[in-house]
Amino acid sequence: MAAANKMNSAEQGAGAPELRAPESRDEILKAAIKLFANRGFHETSMAEVARAANVSKALIFWHFKTKEDLFMAVLNRLLEPYVIDFAEEAGALGEVAQIMQLVELYLMFVRDNASSIRFFVAQLMRGELASDALTGPVMQLYDGYRGLLVDLIGRAQAKDLCLKDFPAAAVARMLLSMLNGTLIEMLFAENANADVASAIAMIRQWLFGGRAGAAKDAPPEL
Amino acid sequence: MAAANKMNSAEQGAGAPELRAPESRDEILKAAIKLFANRGFHETSMAEVARAANVSKALIFWHFKTKEDLFMAVLNRLLEPYVIDFAEEAGALGEVAQIMQLVELYLMFVRDNASSIRFFVAQLMRGELASDALTGPVMQLYDGYRGLLVDLIGRAQAKDLCLKDFPAAAVARMLLSMLNGTLIEMLFAENANADVASAIAMIRQWLFGGRAGAAKDAPPEL
DNA sequence: TGGTTCATTGACCGGATGGTTAGGGAATTA
DNA sequence: TAATTCCCTAACCATCCGGTCAATGAACCA
């Protein structure tokens, strides 16, 4: 029977579990990601996706019932790297080191996923589509991150390791504003790498300024 | 001759200098602003604009040669309040007071123009159209603001009135990141007013923390 | 061998969209 | 009054878009 030899030529790699269609579906997804990401939903036609993926338009509709289906698939594919467990990432270090590690995590994540983040923010901005399918996961991630921050900052304040002039929630909100501000700076200007280290240094100084608190046990390694 | 009685019914108000057509053009512009702002360019059809402005579609094309022409007109109209001379706004106060006034100016401006700013950011994000017509003025404004900030911070540092652990340019960049972060927080969540005062307080503490510098001569009045 | 499923396609369809055109009515001008 | 200009419209047009369909070849199954 010459078993297990379905695919025609190229290797199939680790296929997603839910689909059978060999590789065209993936080709379509890749093309759609590129097009949707830098042209948006309404500005991208199915014919363009088809052309970019070297398939017929009808095949796209065979794989995905509708254009919005395709868009949702793209969205979910792009959302995959966003499943992060921040709590797990920050080991059992001291509060100060954990906070700084979260800061670095945020910045490095932004740097490494700049293009999809730009896409998501643009998408979030104008609620045009997928407002629920996007805001859901994104907000969950965001709130988790902020929760961790508030908790850690609160504990650091209790130990007098960290700026105490404002309630932990306010400090956390401001820290997030700094991070988000740096994010959009990185998103707009393409000089990503340069000022990340500087931003980290200034945040550390702001949060733990005078205190002789925990040493710099987590070198940035950017 | 019954002079000066052209318009049919409603008062015409202060007409823009460059156009003759009585009021329909303005009606169209107003409708287009609303539609473009919260539905985007490609998602807004000329028929919709026509319906919203209570005119025929053809009239729009009589006033504006093409859809993109209309969009540019909308853009310029929305850009009008953005012609601010920051240097003039901040009078001859001390450096500290001037910096804080710039900060408040930024935040209040964002609060008062939230909707058009959201539109601009969304537009800037995805370069789909008008990338030049927008980035030009916006960047000019932004750079002017940052320039002022760098200068003032530098002078404040020289007088030992302000945080000196980092070069003025870096401090200014971080301050802008904070402001931009607060901006996007205000843009996404609609709780605008609440945390502006808090943000201002934290920025003041960050910049002029220990120093017994200039008094709070400019009450926020938010 | 013949049937069934899978993967794929070119051709087609109704609808919406940006844009045009020919014309009408009111005011101004001559 | 006649011609001209300005403002405005209904009707039209070509094009493109999302989506459907009938057909086709290849692999698998009986």
Side-chain angles (χ1 to χ4, degrees):
Chain A
M1 290 183 211
N5 191 10
K6 289 184 171 185
M7 64 274 336
N8 34 15
S9 66
E11 92 291 300
Q12 198 175 359
E18 88 239 30
L19 58 97
R20 272 91 49 80
E23 63 186 20
S24 63
R25 184 190 154 107
D26 226 69
E27 220 58 44
I28 293 170
L29 259 182
K30 275 196 282 183
I33 284 177
K34 221 176 264 185
L35 286 172
F36 280 146
N38 49 35
R39 313 232 353 226
F41 179 77
H42 288 276
E43 301 86 310
T44 304
S45 74
M46 295 302 260
E48 283 175 307
V49 177
R51 206 176 315 124
N54 272 329
V55 296
S56 72
K57 197 176 53 161
L59 182 59
I60 305 184
F61 283 98
W62 184 83
H63 278 296
F64 309 90
K65 249 180 274 284
T66 138
K67 187 184 179 185
E68 297 183 7
D69 264 28
L70 173 60
F71 184 79
M72 291 301 173
V74 164
L75 210 137
N76 288 330
R77 169 71 63 97
L78 282 180
L79 223 33
E80 278 170 15
Y82 287 69
V83 212
I84 310 172
D85 189 355
F86 289 115
E88 189 176 322
E89 295 278 346
L93 309 166
E95 283 84 6
V96 172
Q98 278 191 64
I99 292 175
M100 289 314 293
Q101 190 162 352
L102 280 182
V103 167
E104 281 175 30
L105 220 63
Y106 184 108
L107 260 11
M108 284 166 55
F109 182 78
V110 168
R111 185 199 53 187
D112 295 339
N113 300 70
S115 89
S116 71
I117 290 182
R118 188 181 292 116
F119 173 58
F120 284 141
V121 174
Q123 206 62 34
L124 251 344
M125 211 59 119
R126 151 191 330 179
E128 67 172 22
L129 233 170
S131 58
D132 292 341
L134 235 191
T135 53
V138 168
M139 280 310 160
Q140 182 179 337
L141 189 74
Y142 192 77
D143 287 343
Y145 186 84
R146 180 175 51 213
L148 262 179
L149 233 39
V150 171
D151 181 50
L152 283 170
I153 289 177
R155 281 193 278 148
Q157 284 179 331
K159 293 187 185 175
D160 195 25
L161 295 170
C162 156
L163 147 123
K164 291 173 63 176
D165 309 279
F166 304 94
V171 175
R173 187 164 2 101
M174 194 54 168
L175 175 52
L176 268 170
S177 282
M178 291 187 191
L179 291 175
N180 288 332
T182 323
L183 176 150
I184 81 166
E185 189 187 351
M186 288 167 73
L187 248 48
F188 276 97
E190 219 57 42
N191 57 345
N193 293 15
D195 27 28
V196 168
S198 156
I200 290 180
M202 299 191 73
I203 287 175
R204 168 177 268 129
Q205 164 72 18
W206 170 61
L207 278 175
F208 315 113
R211 284 98 183 156
K216 48 181 77 174
D217 40 9
E221 70 167 54
L222 292 169
Chain B
M1 290 185 213
N5 191 9
K6 289 183 173 185
M7 64 280 329
N8 33 14
S9 67
E11 93 290 303
Q12 199 176 358
E18 89 237 29
L19 57 98
R20 272 92 49 81
E23 65 188 19
S24 63
R25 183 189 154 108
D26 226 70
E27 220 58 43
I28 293 169
L29 259 181
K30 274 197 282 184
I33 284 177
K34 222 176 262 185
L35 287 172
F36 280 146
N38 48 35
R39 311 225 0 218
F41 179 77
H42 287 276
E43 301 87 311
T44 303
S45 76
M46 294 303 260
E48 283 175 307
V49 177
R51 206 176 316 123
N54 273 327
V55 296
S56 72
K57 198 176 52 162
L59 182 59
I60 304 183
F61 283 98
W62 185 84
H63 278 295
F64 309 90
K65 250 180 273 284
T66 137
K67 188 184 179 185
E68 297 182 6
D69 263 27
L70 172 61
F71 184 79
M72 292 301 173
V74 164
L75 211 136
N76 287 331
R77 169 70 65 98
L78 281 180
L79 224 33
E80 277 170 15
Y82 286 69
V83 211
I84 309 172
D85 189 354
F86 289 114
E88 189 175 322
E89 295 278 345
L93 309 166
E95 282 84 6
V96 173
Q98 277 191 67
I99 292 174
M100 289 314 293
Q101 190 163 351
L102 279 183
V103 166
E104 281 174 31
L105 220 63
Y106 184 108
L107 259 10
M108 284 167 54
F109 183 78
V110 168
R111 185 199 54 186
D112 296 339
N113 299 70
S115 88
S116 71
I117 290 182
R118 189 181 291 115
F119 173 58
F120 283 142
V121 174
Q123 207 62 34
L124 250 344
M125 212 58 119
R126 148 192 332 179
E128 69 172 21
L129 234 168
S131 58
D132 292 340
L134 236 190
T135 54
V138 168
M139 281 310 161
Q140 181 179 336
L141 189 74
Y142 192 77
D143 287 343
Y145 187 84
R146 180 175 52 214
L148 262 180
L149 233 38
V150 171
D151 180 50
L152 283 170
I153 290 177
R155 280 193 279 148
Q157 284 180 332
K159 293 186 184 176
D160 195 24
L161 294 171
C162 157
L163 147 124
K164 291 174 64 177
D165 309 277
F166 305 93
V171 175
R173 186 162 3 97
M174 194 52 167
L175 176 53
L176 268 171
S177 282
M178 292 188 191
L179 291 176
N180 288 332
T182 325
L183 175 150
I184 82 167
E185 188 187 350
M186 288 166 73
L187 248 47
F188 276 96
E190 219 57 41
N191 56 347
N193 294 13
D195 27 28
V196 167
S198 156
I200 290 180
M202 299 190 72
I203 287 176
R204 167 177 269 130
Q205 165 73 17
W206 171 62
L207 278 176
F208 315 114
R211 284 98 183 155
K216 49 182 72 171
D217 39 8
E221 70 168 53
L222 293 169

